[in-house]
Amino acid sequence: MYMTAREQKLIKYLLHQNRYVKVGEIADYIEVSTRTVHRELKAVKSVLEAYGLQLDKQPGKGLKLVGPSRDKQRLLHDLSNDSHVEYTSDERKLLILCAMLESGEPIKLYTIANDLQVTAATISHDLDELENWIAPFGLSLIRKRGYGIELRGPEDAKRKIVGNLMADKLDVQQFLETIEMNIKGRNQTSEKIFGVVSRGKLLKAEKVLSQAKEQHGLSLSDSAYIALVVHLTFAVERIQLGEVINMNEEELAELKHTKEFELALTIAKSLEEVFHVKIPDAEAGYITMHLRSANRSYKTDYRAEDIELDTALRTKRLIDFISQKMGVNLNDNQSLYEGLIAHLEPAIIRIKEKMLIHNPLKEQIKKDYFLLYMAIEEGVERFFPDTYFPDEEIAFIVLHFGSVLEMNKGEININALVICSSGIGSSKMLASRLKKELPEIASFDISSLMELKTKDTAAYDIIVSTVQIPYEGIDYVIVSPLLDEEDVKQVKHQLTRKIPLILQKRRAEQKKTAPFPDMLAVAEKISHYANAIRHIVSHFTVEVVKTAESHVQTVERVCLLLEEQGLIRDAGQMAEGLLSREAQGGLGIPGTSFALFHLKNEAANIPLFKAVDLTKPYDIKAMDGSSIKMKRMLIMLAPDDIPPEGSELLSCISSSIIESDDSLAAYGTGDAELLYRRLNMLFHTFIRDKKW
């Protein structure tokens, strides 16, 4: 059996689909035109017939591969073991790149041509394109007659480009199959994935990260998790080859102040024990960058003091802009705001560090949500002018807005679990579409494939997935992430089939008495909220402080005042902490004349919020890197051991500062009486709307 890589990809895609798929969907998946798909379908017809399979074509529905299940499995097995592959141009470039990295010395052109079974002219053309491919990463090729081909450039650039390419090629299902096959003892651990990292080392690195994830409550999307496992594995292999990575001292010093660096050191120590290598601080720095650039969950990973107010302000302005463009008020949608913050902060870090993200739905999102896509493209260009968002990132942002817009269109009443490997945004999109098409569905939980094993699947009435689930005993429906008509029919059919079981379960649940909330726990929470409100409101004042000769001295003078008032224990320690926090990024609110100095530190006695007016304004760095003339300092401090309820209230103040132009004006110039009233109203609304 001899087929091109594209033909193999087409057949594997059809084998994995348990539904009718349209030609356009296949074209998007294998990244070709619909005309090419029709041509490839004709080319593979004889192969399918040889295995007793055929394509069933239905007008309006698409096509589906039909035939005995055992013959499908036989074909899939043969495809997986077929060594006669004609590589695509991109595949050849990746293999050439990996060969140069593994060799560490020049490789002869004819050797590569012989290995890939193509002409030297073809390889020469591939190398021309490869040079353009690697240039943005600061890498170059040395090509000399009689010398060979060699990859030149810094080690961190080599790590970055291979990590990006492998994470893009290694999908969630393939990754999970590697893990599952190892558990079942069917893995060839010496085999290399894409010629770079061994499966055995990948499995060990995955185990290290899995343990860190469990012990530290780390929440990562599937794609971010895989990218980090690949990075760790490749880093270990490069260290074992004697390739050491370097990092700018200032950049490393900044990373050491982040909360992710401590976790990176823990992961590095575990890698040292498992692989018997020495992991330098620079490697921990790059692990930190991966953790900071990963998509996470807002609820589990973001606290008041961690959110950059500049990003929050820009996010709110983006939401307002899209609201006006789409004619729908989204400004009060807290879920949208939280989801965007959880995506945008790591996205900005990814873009800054040239860490690519793969979005398999990009082209389909562009087509299905063209107007929304264009509006968001204009919005991010306007409100994030210093950051160039690639199409993949914009498409993910579209999913966040799209899910909320879809939710406005329907009501609901059955418990569903939505599984998607493309991140929170696409899962939300699928859930929203399901809500629209199936009003009887009342609630959704969203899970990635990796989180699925921790879920009680029996607790859900229906499970809908965008990918094949590699675990046995789970009854589910597989659909497209953007849910076409055929998908809706499949879900409705599944619900109809399960209605008797669902009704039986509901009757059993009705017989059970709903448990009362734990009033002791509720009372504890109320006590924490009350204490925090009492401290913040009773100690709020607008102070006037004489501007010192330098910024450092001014901050120290403010901290001395707080120490004299008994609000903090050590003015020197607090000033040092605030200045260190400021060094990580400006604290000035862009477009205003005030800054928010916020810190959680053991020197704070209580949670507090104060305004300090300076006698003489001076320039400081703003959160967006610009400069503002600071007239007022807002001081927000909390003890290290502040309960979550206290952090929640301080977060409430932070959000209120940037919620509108009126809020910015009030916090920037308002007197003590005005701000005292705002705090009272803010906390009153918070407690009134709180669900216990």
Side-chain angles (χ1 to χ4, degrees):
M1 180 172 59
Y2 185 81
M3 286 184 289
T4 67
R6 185 189 292 156
E7 289 168 350
Q8 288 205 21
K9 189 174 184 180
L10 169 62
I11 292 177
K12 284 181 179 179
Y13 180 73
L14 292 172
L15 284 167
H16 282 121
Q17 303 306 309
N18 188 29
R19 61 189 177 88
Y20 285 90
V21 291
K22 294 180 179 177
V23 170
E25 187 179 338
I26 299 171
D28 287 342
Y29 179 76
I30 61 177
E31 298 177 331
V32 295
S33 67
T34 54
R35 181 178 296 179
T36 300
V37 172
H38 284 296
R39 187 172 64 247
E40 298 290 4
L41 287 170
K42 289 179 182 177
V44 301
K45 185 179 178 183
S46 59
V47 174
L48 298 177
E49 289 175 348
Y51 284 82
L53 304 173
Q54 60 182 4
L55 289 171
D56 181 30
K57 299 178 182 178
Q58 297 286 339
K61 292 174 65 176
L63 51 91
K64 181 180 180 181
L65 194 59
V66 296
S69 179
R70 64 179 180 278
D71 291 333
K72 290 182 181 180
Q73 291 298 324
R74 186 162 57 91
L75 175 54
L76 190 59
H77 177 270
D78 289 349
L79 285 173
S80 301
N81 291 282
D82 187 11
S83 59
H84 300 288
V85 178
E86 181 184 314
Y87 296 107
T88 66
S89 176
D90 281 355
E91 287 171 337
R92 286 197 305 271
K93 289 197 285 282
L94 178 58
L95 289 167
I96 293 168
L97 180 63
C98 294
M100 287 189 291
L101 281 164
E102 192 170 22
S103 171
E105 58 185 29
I107 303 175
K108 300 297 182 184
L109 187 144
Y110 68 81
T111 302
I112 300 174
N114 185 59
D115 288 345
L116 298 180
Q117 299 178 24
V118 293
T119 65
T122 298
I123 295 298
S124 183
H125 182 265
D126 288 340
L127 291 172
D128 291 339
E129 293 185 347
L130 183 57
E131 285 185 299
N132 295 328
W133 222 17
I134 65 177
F137 292 86
L139 297 170
S140 61
L141 292 182
I142 304 299
R143 301 164 65 179
K144 295 179 183 177
R145 187 182 297 275
Y147 178 78
I149 310 155
E150 186 179 14
L151 183 68
R152 292 276 180 90
E155 176 65 17
D156 64 319
K158 294 175 182 177
R159 304 272 186 94
K160 199 170 289 183
I161 191 170
V162 172
N164 283 338
L165 291 170
M166 286 188 62
D168 186 36
K169 298 286 183 186
L170 186 65
D171 64 24
V172 177
Q173 201 159 342
Q174 184 180 351
F175 184 83
L176 282 173
E177 283 171 3
T178 297
I179 306 302
E180 287 293 300
M181 285 172 68
N182 179 65
I183 293 169
K184 295 172 182 175
R186 298 204 304 267
N187 228 340
Q188 297 294 320
T189 56
S190 60
E191 180 188 346
K192 291 214 165 191
I193 301 174
F194 302 118
V196 185
V197 296
S198 72
R199 289 186 185 273
K201 287 176 182 171
L202 184 86
L203 292 164
K204 288 181 180 179
E206 191 278 334
K207 188 174 182 180
V208 166
L209 187 58
S210 177
Q211 290 172 346
K213 189 170 181 274
E214 188 174 334
Q215 291 169 5
H216 298 273
L218 180 63
S219 173
L220 298 173
S221 67
D222 286 354
S223 58
Y225 185 86
I226 292 171
L228 184 50
V229 171
V230 167
H231 170 84
L232 296 176
T233 310
F234 190 56
V236 167
E237 295 215 341
R238 297 297 285 174
I239 290 170
Q240 290 174 336
L241 288 171
E243 298 290 350
V244 180
I245 202 166
N246 294 307
M247 180 177 280
N248 178 279
E249 288 293 331
E250 289 183 7
E251 186 177 7
L252 182 58
E254 280 187 22
L255 289 171
K256 285 182 177 180
H257 284 100
T258 65
K259 64 186 179 69
E260 290 88 357
F261 188 76
E262 188 176 341
L263 176 56
L265 286 177
T266 302
I267 293 171
K269 186 177 179 182
S270 297
L271 290 172
E272 288 180 335
E273 293 172 358
V274 170
F275 292 101
H276 309 293
V277 294
K278 176 64 180 172
I279 308 286
D281 276 1
E283 290 287 0
Y286 280 97
I287 296 172
T288 303
M289 281 166 45
H290 264 274
L291 293 171
R292 284 172 58 78
S293 69
N295 284 333
R296 290 161 284 177
S297 161
Y298 181 93
K299 295 293 185 187
T300 57
D301 283 307
Y302 284 91
R303 297 172 298 178
E305 61 271 24
D306 296 329
I307 299 171
E308 293 293 341
L309 283 191
D310 176 49
T311 304
L313 178 61
R314 292 166 189 254
T315 301
K316 282 186 173 288
R317 287 174 175 168
L318 176 63
I319 292 172
D320 183 61
F321 176 78
I322 299 301
S323 295
Q324 294 177 40
K325 283 280 186 180
M326 305 307 293
V328 179
N329 184 9
L330 304 173
N331 290 298
D332 297 327
N333 193 301
Q334 188 67 12
S335 174
L336 172 62
Y337 168 72
E338 291 176 355
L340 282 173
I341 285 287
H343 178 83
L344 284 170
E345 289 210 328
I348 290 168
I349 295 171
R350 275 196 301 273
I351 294 166
K352 176 186 172 186
E353 300 298 337
K354 296 181 181 176
M355 300 171 79
L356 306 182
I357 189 169
H358 180 54
N359 188 341
L361 305 175
K362 178 184 69 177
E363 295 305 322
Q364 195 170 352
I365 290 167
K366 273 186 172 182
K367 284 190 289 188
D368 289 4
Y369 291 88
F370 178 74
L371 292 177
L372 179 59
Y373 187 96
M374 296 298 289
I376 289 171
E377 191 172 41
E378 182 184 348
V380 295
E381 189 175 330
R382 176 180 296 192
F383 300 112
F384 297 87
D386 300 327
T387 305
Y388 171 73
F389 282 80
D391 288 351
E392 286 78 7
E393 295 285 5
I394 292 175
F396 276 123
I397 298 171
V398 170
L399 290 176
H400 286 278
F401 279 99
S403 65
V404 174
L405 291 169
E406 292 287 355
M407 279 181 195
N408 290 336
K409 301 177 183 177
E411 296 247 345
I412 15 197
N413 105 47
I414 272 175
N415 298 324
L417 177 63
V418 176
I419 299 162
C420 185
S421 65
S422 301
I424 297 170
S426 54
S427 303
K428 280 187 173 182
M429 175 67 76
L430 176 55
S432 303
R433 285 291 186 91
L434 284 168
K435 281 185 178 183
K436 173 190 172 185
E437 299 292 344
L438 300 159
E440 58 267 38
I441 298 182
S443 62
F444 292 88
D445 276 347
I446 293 171
S447 170
S448 70
L449 271 177
M450 291 182 185
E451 295 169 336
L452 184 57
K453 279 195 169 181
T454 66
K455 297 283 185 182
D456 177 13
T457 54
Y460 300 96
D461 300 317
I462 188 169
I463 298 174
V464 182
S465 177
T466 63
V467 291
Q468 295 277 354
I469 297 177
Y471 310 129
E472 296 177 359
I474 296 178
D475 187 14
Y476 68 100
V477 183
I478 188 164
V479 298
S480 159
L482 294 177
L483 203 72
D484 60 24
E485 291 180 13
E486 183 62 30
D487 293 330
V488 173
K489 289 177 183 176
Q490 286 192 62
V491 176
K492 285 184 176 179
H493 175 73
Q494 178 85 332
L495 276 176
T496 303
R497 182 175 66 82
K498 298 187 76 171
I499 284 294
L501 293 173
I502 294 170
L503 289 173
Q504 185 179 350
K505 188 165 73 171
R506 290 289 184 275
R507 292 189 193 105
E509 288 171 353
Q510 286 172 1
K511 292 178 181 178
K512 297 178 183 177
T513 305
F516 284 102
D518 182 350
M519 290 309 298
L520 190 60
V522 172
E524 187 77 9
K525 288 174 74 71
I526 291 173
S527 173
H528 287 315
Y529 283 126
N531 284 335
I533 290 172
R534 184 171 64 252
H535 287 311
I536 294 168
V537 174
S538 64
H539 292 98
F540 173 76
T541 55
V542 176
E543 307 281 354
V544 177
V545 170
K546 185 178 180 181
T547 305
E549 292 183 5
S550 70
H551 174 57
V552 172
Q553 290 173 329
T554 301
V555 173
E556 289 173 344
R557 185 170 289 179
V558 170
C559 290
L560 279 171
L561 173 65
L562 297 176
E563 186 179 42
E564 290 168 5
Q565 294 174 345
L567 302 175
I568 64 174
R569 285 190 289 278
D570 188 329
Q573 181 182 343
M574 185 61 75
E576 183 182 350
L578 286 170
L579 291 167
S580 175
R581 173 68 184 81
E582 185 182 17
Q584 296 176 35
L587 298 179
I589 307 296
T592 73
S593 58
F594 68 94
L596 177 62
F597 285 77
H598 55 291
L599 186 68
K600 192 169 74 170
N601 190 284
E602 61 182 13
N605 291 327
I606 58 171
L608 66 93
F609 178 68
K610 277 184 178 288
V612 175
D613 287 337
L614 303 173
T615 56
K616 184 179 179 182
Y618 61 89
D619 291 336
I620 68 161
K621 186 179 178 182
M623 294 174 176
D624 62 355
S626 63
S627 178
I628 69 162
K629 192 169 286 292
M630 181 174 66
K631 296 180 180 179
R632 170 174 284 185
M633 299 170 66
L634 297 181
I635 309 295
M636 182 186 292
L637 304 176
D640 257 341
D641 59 352
I642 185 173
E645 293 80 8
S647 286
E648 198 176 350
L649 287 168
L650 290 175
S651 176
C652 189
I653 296 174
S654 297
S655 296
S656 73
I657 293 172
I658 59 172
E659 69 182 3
S660 67
D661 290 339
D662 286 344
S663 295
L664 288 169
Y667 281 103
T669 59
D671 59 20
E673 184 180 352
L674 172 64
L675 292 179
Y676 184 85
R677 283 203 310 272
R678 287 189 81 92
L679 287 175
N680 271 277
M681 290 172 60
L682 182 68
F683 291 150
H684 171 76
T685 304
F686 178 88
I687 295 298
R688 183 195 66 197
D689 297 341
K690 189 71 183 172
K691 290 182 173 62
W692 305 100

